[in-house]
């Protein structure tokens, strides 16, 4: 049910308002009902919660030469028993947001964007780094 506000008659006396009639600016908005204030407060709370939840998933990684990453192998290029991701070493950054990658067997021809790469966790990085460094040293220049 909607509450009706009475409009002042044009015949009412139009004297200046006193300080008791004015709400402070930092308090509830002028002309809103308690229900509207409650809805606005709840909406602000939900908005903050959503930003916290979905903002964590949208972090942009910054990679540089020498980082260990993994790249996804498309389903049609692997069998059911193959790994879904391929460990790589970033050799160069030939273009903005494009990386030249090296795997254990050589350098990949395609340059990969940031969105396709995942950083290798530190606990796995030492073994992979050593393996890829040996492959890099043995690769023909």
């Amino acid at each position: 049910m909607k509450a009706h506000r009475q409009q002042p008659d044009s015949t009412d006396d139009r004297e200046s308002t006193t300080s008791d009639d004015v709400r402070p600016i930092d308090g509830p908005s002028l002309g809103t009902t308690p229900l509207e204030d409650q809805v606005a407060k709840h909406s602000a709370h939900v908005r903050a919660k959503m930003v916290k939840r979905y903002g964590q998933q949208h972090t942009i990684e910054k990679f540089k030469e020498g980082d260990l990453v993994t790249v996804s192998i498309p389903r049609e290029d692997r069998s059911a028993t193959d790994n879904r991701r391929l460990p790589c070493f970033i050799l160069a950054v030939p273009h903005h947001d494009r990386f030249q990658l090296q795997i254990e067997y050589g350098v990949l021809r395609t340059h990969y964007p940031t969105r396709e790469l995942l950083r290798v966790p530190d606990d796995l990085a030492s073994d992979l780094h050593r393996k890829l460094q040996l492959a890099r040293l043995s690769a023909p220049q």
Side-chain angles (χ1 to χ4, degrees):
M1 212 174 192
K2 214 174 192 184
H4 295 284
R5 295 183 191 160
Q6 289 184 339
Q7 296 293 329
D9 291 337
S10 60
T11 57
D12 288 344
D13 49 340
R14 296 178 185 227
E15 297 177 12
S16 64
T17 58
T18 63
S19 61
D20 296 335
D21 297 336
V22 179
R23 275 196 249 174
I25 292 177
D26 61 344
S29 302
L30 294 175
T32 60
T33 65
L35 181 62
E36 290 171 332
D37 292 337
Q38 184 179 2
V39 167
K41 183 179 175 183
H42 179 72
S43 295
H45 173 71
V46 169
R47 188 178 313 113
K49 226 170 129 177
M50 288 177 70
V51 166
K52 183 179 177 186
R53 178 183 300 159
Y54 296 112
Q56 293 172 350
Q57 296 173 359
H58 299 289
T59 57
I60 298 173
E61 285 274 353
K62 298 288 184 182
F63 298 110
K64 61 184 185 310
E65 291 182 23
D67 284 348
L68 289 172
V69 296
T70 61
V71 65
S72 179
I73 302 171
R75 180 70 180 121
E76 58 271 5
D77 292 338
R78 61 181 165 87
S79 67
T81 58
D82 288 339
N83 289 330
R84 292 181 179 190
R85 301 198 67 82
L86 183 65
C88 304
F89 183 78
I90 295 180
L91 285 181
V93 185
H95 305 288
H96 175 71
D97 191 39
R98 300 281 182 216
F99 300 93
Q100 183 180 21
L101 303 176
Q102 179 207 343
I103 61 171
E104 183 179 359
Y105 305 105
V107 178
L108 299 176
R109 286 183 284 177
T110 306
H111 296 157
Y112 291 88
T114 303
R115 70 176 179 270
E116 293 185 19
L117 304 177
L118 290 178
R119 189 175 303 277
V120 174
D122 291 335
D123 56 341
L124 301 174
S126 61
D127 293 335
L128 285 175
H129 187 66
R130 188 170 47 252
K131 192 175 186 181
L132 290 174
Q133 273 297 63
L134 291 174
R136 184 177 183 200
L137 292 175
S138 64
Q141 297 292 338

